[in-house]
Amino acid sequence: MKLFSFPAAALEKAIHKRVLTLPPMHREWFTERWQQKPYKKSFVENKAMPLVTLIAKGKTWDDATFAEAMQEWDVTFYEAEAEVLRPLVQRDGLLQLMQKNLPAERAQALLDRLNTRRPAAVSAAPASAPATD
């Protein structure tokens, strides 16, 4: 049973609108993948829709239920994906009414989850960065 049903078409429209404002590097990366139907479906079902559900339900769930839902949402994000989804948590556009009573610590937990990077992206970063001792 679904606890929350948000129209996927409205979410896709919000994502598309956000893509237009991305920096060129992220826009190019995300647009290339977004045009592929399997990626688009996977992104909406596994990353965007669970985020919307956590926002909508996160303001009424108790701490244990919210923590359990966050634990079950086992995903990592590419930087461009996080840039697309971050405004959904930061009271921008589509979800403003849903976000209204979301506790700040839960919003921060969602933003922290968006900063979870794929291992390949993390391992590539130190190689290009100068070593600091």
Side-chain angles (χ1 to χ4, degrees):
M1 180 173 96
K2 273 189 164 180
L3 296 174
F4 179 74
S5 180
F6 190 82
L11 185 56
E12 288 179 20
K13 184 177 178 182
I15 290 169
H16 178 71
K17 184 178 177 183
R18 174 62 180 139
V19 168
L20 298 175
T21 64
L22 289 175
M25 177 179 68
H26 293 313
R27 182 174 47 238
E28 187 177 307
W29 184 93
F30 191 83
T31 303
E32 181 179 308
R33 283 155 185 81
W34 187 249
Q35 292 172 357
Q36 300 169 12
K37 191 173 183 174
Y39 174 83
K40 185 176 191 176
K41 182 180 181 195
S42 175
F43 181 78
V44 170
E45 289 178 2
N46 299 325
K47 294 182 180 182
M49 197 61 76
L51 176 64
V52 170
T53 301
L54 285 165
I55 291 169
K57 295 291 188 175
K59 57 189 173 188
T60 57
W61 281 341
D62 59 46
D63 290 341
T65 304
F66 183 78
E68 182 182 329
M70 287 289 287
Q71 190 71 27
E72 289 173 2
W73 189 38
D74 186 26
V75 293
T76 54
F77 298 92
Y78 290 101
E79 180 63 30
E81 293 173 334
E83 287 297 317
V84 168
L85 295 174
R86 196 168 284 120
L88 298 180
V89 180
Q90 296 175 322
R91 293 172 168 67
D92 184 37
L94 176 74
L95 301 175
Q96 284 181 336
L97 292 176
M98 244 187 263
Q99 299 157 337
K100 191 172 185 180
N101 296 322
L102 183 66
E105 63 276 359
R106 292 188 180 179
Q108 188 58 50
L110 291 169
L111 289 171
D112 291 345
R113 176 58 59 100
L114 291 178
N115 290 329
T116 303
R117 296 286 172 255
R118 295 200 172 272
V122 173
S123 64
S128 63
T132 56
D133 291 320

